[in-house]
Amino acid sequence: MSAERDFALPDLGEGLTESELIDWRVAVGDTVELNQIVADVETAKAVVELPSPVAGVVTALHAEPGQTVEVGASLMTFRVGGSDAPEPAASDDEQAAEAASAAEPEAPAPEAPAKREPNLVGYGAAADASHPKRKARRVPSVPAASAAEPTAAAASTTTLERPRPAERPRSTPPVRKLAHDLGVDLEALDGSGERGLITRADVEQAASARPAPAAPSGASAPADDRVTRTPVRGVRKHTAEAMVRSAFTAPHATEFLTVDVTASTELLDELRDDRATAGHRVTMLAMAAKATCIALARTPELNSRWDDEAHEIVQHHYVNLGIAVATERGLLVPNVRDAEGMSLLELADAIGDLAATARDGRTPPADLTGGTMSITNIGVFGIDAGTPILNPGEAAILATGAVRRMPWEHRGEVALRDVMTLSLSFDHRLVDGAQASRFLADVGAILRQPGRALTM
């Protein structure tokens, strides 16, 4: 015996109440296996692949790409158990009997106790006996008959099934979302990437190549053509809400320190030329991250958070170091967990992996929460200094500026040196000016003379 089974949008473990459906990986009529990826959804922080909680046949899809779905709402329906083969077409007598019985109320079938099925991204909402399940939408077997031809549909004895889709075009979830937003059909594209991967450039080129719709004769272009409206959702919505909450909750203060980092740049050159470290991409950001971990051990007030409900200051004895990453979907801040115990090379590898994963839209939701302090590298954009806004729940954020070759006092003379500016924003409820100054001075001292780390 087969049975209908709804798949509700699961709780993705971020405390979020909704997600946007980016794309379906399956269609009605497809047979899926347990844990097969069936859809891509975008939360406020990341694109997540949803695996199927059961093996069965897809009988209904309850949302369209671009639609926002609440956690616990029915996302799709499966037919599970029994044979996966399509059901035979009903005869004329059977169709007539079914039509007659449709007018009578159906006796509710006994339901099994609510059970939560595990999947790769969390547990879906448990079935609630007090609320009826949403019925799967039926797809008509044949086109609906007109009033003038009442017997056309009844004369058909075959079922028209939706054709099985061809192999899915190879692309990443962010590229599929971009294609959906721009109205580009991925099926019609040939990917220019490795092994035929469809890239962002392919989608943008296809969108720009489409002819603009012709305006009616004598009509002028509508005023809306002069602006572009983009719905605020996903990462952009989450970032905006977090920044407003932080800016108007925590009293921000910012300090600056310009440092001669020539010794650090020379050390980086040596590491790049050393065969023993050739497989590690050590950057000034990694150096600043290591210096930050050392300085936090000496000034732990910057590694804390304000608990407004308990009226307490919570000090962390570990460092989950957030690294701000600019992506196509907006700003993400994944964090390196337990960074205080990592070597410089381990930090460099972890930062590189986090950045690559974030830009590909593959950051696990767990890596986007639980940070204790953050670093943002504005120097990569050629900027020297700024006043970064704190991540909510963190006491400080350090911005590293561009490294510039410029005249600088060195050993009593003026010489060309590598110089960088550090900007530290902090929550003045948690951190006093003296504590922030000591922390910033320690980071600057390590970058000025990396060997000083051995004395701290």
Side-chain angles (χ1 to χ4, degrees):
M1 293 292 292
S2 61
E4 296 289 318
R5 166 72 183 277
D6 274 354
F7 175 30
L9 179 66
D11 178 2
L12 301 177
E14 302 177 75
L16 302 175
T17 59
E18 62 184 24
S19 295
E20 179 185 348
L21 176 64
I22 299 300
D23 202 7
W24 285 111
R25 301 282 193 96
V26 295
V28 173
D30 285 358
T31 300
V32 300
E33 302 295 333
L34 177 65
N35 288 332
Q36 177 181 335
I37 302 301
V38 295
D40 299 315
V41 297
E42 181 179 22
T43 69
K45 299 177 180 179
V47 173
V48 178
E49 296 178 331
L50 285 184
S52 171
V54 296
V57 178
V58 179
T59 60
L61 304 177
H62 302 309
E64 299 293 335
Q67 181 178 340
T68 298
V69 182
E70 294 185 358
V71 170
S74 180
L75 194 62
M76 60 193 305
T77 303
F78 300 94
R79 185 172 69 247
V80 297
S83 172
D84 289 341
E87 296 180 356
S91 66
D92 292 347
D93 293 339
E94 289 172 336
Q95 290 182 8
E98 181 179 359
S101 63
E104 300 178 2
E106 296 181 359
E111 295 186 359
K115 181 179 180 181
R116 307 179 89 190
E117 293 288 345
N119 57 54
L120 296 183
V121 295
Y123 287 90
D128 187 350
S130 63
H131 294 81
K133 286 189 175 181
R134 178 175 178 176
K135 292 187 67 177
R137 294 180 294 182
R138 290 179 176 271
V139 180
S141 299
V142 295
S146 66
E149 298 173 336
T151 61
S156 173
T157 58
T158 59
T159 300
L160 300 180
E161 295 185 355
R162 179 174 176 177
R164 295 287 292 274
E167 183 179 352
R168 178 180 191 81
R170 291 176 51 82
S171 58
T172 62
V175 171
R176 290 197 289 275
K177 182 178 186 301
L178 176 65
H180 173 264
D181 293 342
L182 297 180
V184 174
D185 183 8
L186 291 177
E187 298 281 355
L189 299 186
D190 293 326
S192 62
E194 184 179 356
R195 293 185 295 177
L197 181 71
I198 298 175
T199 65
R200 179 183 180 87
D202 295 333
V203 174
E204 291 174 340
Q205 182 178 1
S208 63
R210 290 181 304 184
S217 177
S220 58
D224 283 347
D225 285 353
R226 295 169 62 87
V227 300
T228 299
R229 294 181 178 271
T230 303
V232 180
R233 55 194 178 204
V235 172
R236 181 64 60 188
K237 178 181 178 181
H238 172 79
T239 302
E241 292 173 347
M243 292 300 97
V244 170
R245 185 167 68 253
S246 176
F248 290 97
T249 301
H252 284 56
T254 306
E255 292 186 348
F256 305 90
L257 178 64
T258 303
V259 184
D260 177 357
V261 295
T262 306
S264 287
T265 57
E266 291 174 348
L267 174 60
L268 293 177
D269 290 338
E270 293 177 7
L271 293 175
R272 293 188 189 102
D273 295 337
D274 191 337
R275 291 183 178 180
T277 57
H280 306 274
R281 187 173 181 271
V282 186
T283 63
M284 185 60 71
L285 177 60
M287 294 278 290
K290 183 61 179 176
T292 295
C293 291
I294 296 172
L296 283 177
R298 291 163 56 90
T299 317
E301 291 82 3
L302 278 81
N303 195 39
S304 58
R305 65 178 176 87
W306 184 274
D307 189 336
D308 206 23
E309 294 183 359
H311 301 287
E312 294 176 341
I313 294 175
V314 181
Q315 190 173 107
H316 306 290
H317 301 297
Y318 58 90
V319 179
N320 287 348
L321 189 62
I323 305 295
V325 182
T327 73
E328 295 177 353
R329 299 169 50 244
L331 180 67
L332 296 179
V333 190
N335 60 79
V336 179
R337 297 191 177 274
D338 299 318
E340 79 284 358
M342 294 185 177
S343 67
L344 175 60
L345 298 182
E346 290 171 337
L347 269 175
D349 292 343
I351 291 172
D353 291 342
L354 280 184
T357 302
R359 293 189 182 104
D360 289 343
R362 297 182 291 106
T363 303
D367 286 350
L368 294 165
T369 59
T372 62
M373 183 181 169
S374 296
I375 297 180
T376 178
N377 181 18
I378 59 177
V380 71
F381 303 108
I383 304 301
D384 296 320
T387 55
I389 297 179
L390 299 169
N391 262 346
E394 298 180 11
I397 180 172
L398 178 70
T400 58
V403 177
R404 301 192 182 280
R405 191 75 169 169
M406 58 189 301
W408 197 260
E409 188 277 330
H410 178 64
R411 295 179 181 176
E413 298 181 356
V414 176
L416 285 177
R417 306 288 289 177
D418 293 331
V419 177
M420 180 176 71
T421 298
L422 304 172
S423 310
L424 177 70
S425 290
F426 55 94
D427 185 341
H428 223 317
R429 297 174 301 176
L430 292 159
V431 182
D432 296 333
Q435 297 163 337
S437 299
R438 284 197 295 270
F439 170 84
L440 194 57
D442 280 347
V443 174
I446 295 172
L447 295 179
R448 185 183 298 110
Q449 295 179 330
R452 289 288 297 274
L454 297 176
T455 67
M456 294 183 179

